[in-house]
Amino acid sequence: MFRRTFWFSTGVAAGVWATTKVNRKIRQLTPESLAATAANKALETGQRLKDRAVGFAFDVRDNMARREAELEEALGIHEDPELPAPRRYTAIENHHSDNSSTPKYIEAPMHSYNRNEDH
């Protein structure tokens, strides 16, 4: 009798364990669960790609600065170039008839560029 009880309880425990496993797997395979899992994986992948891209950009910037320093040393450039002085006159002067010292700027024409107005 003890044997039968042992095997009966073992069978019940195995049945409960198997049912729990199957139900858990079924819940994992629902469309909502699959969509959530895919979204989480996409976010993780995007974060990893972003981290790699940022790391790559920093490496490029560091190597660019190092190479620029090497080239400056090889060419003998050690100081910042001076900026040109600001202009005192307009680039193109348009003199008008009253001979004043201030330049006159030509105004834009006042016609429309709408092609439908011609028809």
Side-chain angles (χ1 to χ4, degrees), residues 21-62:
K21 282 290 236 187
V22 168
N23 284 337
R24 191 176 297 157
K25 195 57 140 176
I26 288 174
R27 267 189 260 121
Q28 285 179 352
L29 296 176
T30 61
E32 295 85 14
S33 178
L34 289 175
T37 303
N40 289 339
K41 294 284 185 184
L43 288 174
E44 290 172 7
T45 303
Q47 186 66 33
R48 273 186 287 162
L49 287 175
K50 181 188 148 234
D51 292 343
R52 287 180 183 174
V54 168
F56 178 72
F58 284 144
D59 289 344
V60 167
R61 186 177 296 162
D62 292 341

Side-chain angles (χ1 to χ4, degrees), residues 64-80:
M64 181 180 64
R66 184 176 49 81
R67 181 65 178 149
E68 193 171 306
E70 289 173 2
L71 290 173
E72 286 176 355
E73 183 179 331
L75 295 174
I77 303 172
H78 297 291
E79 59 185 46
D80 293 331

Side-chain angles (χ1 to χ4, degrees), residues 63-111:
N63 289 330
M64 181 180 64
R66 184 176 49 81
R67 181 65 178 149
E68 193 171 306
E70 289 173 2
L71 290 173
E72 286 176 355
E73 183 179 331
L75 295 174
I77 303 172
H78 297 291
E79 59 185 46
D80 293 331
E82 290 186 28
L83 295 176
R87 290 189 206 157
R88 295 185 186 190
Y89 305 105
T90 57
I92 299 174
E93 293 184 11
N94 299 316
H95 297 287
H96 56 295
S97 62
D98 64 355
N99 293 329
S100 67
S101 62
T102 60
K104 178 181 177 189
Y105 296 98
I106 300 173
E107 295 179 9
M110 296 300 295
H111 60 82

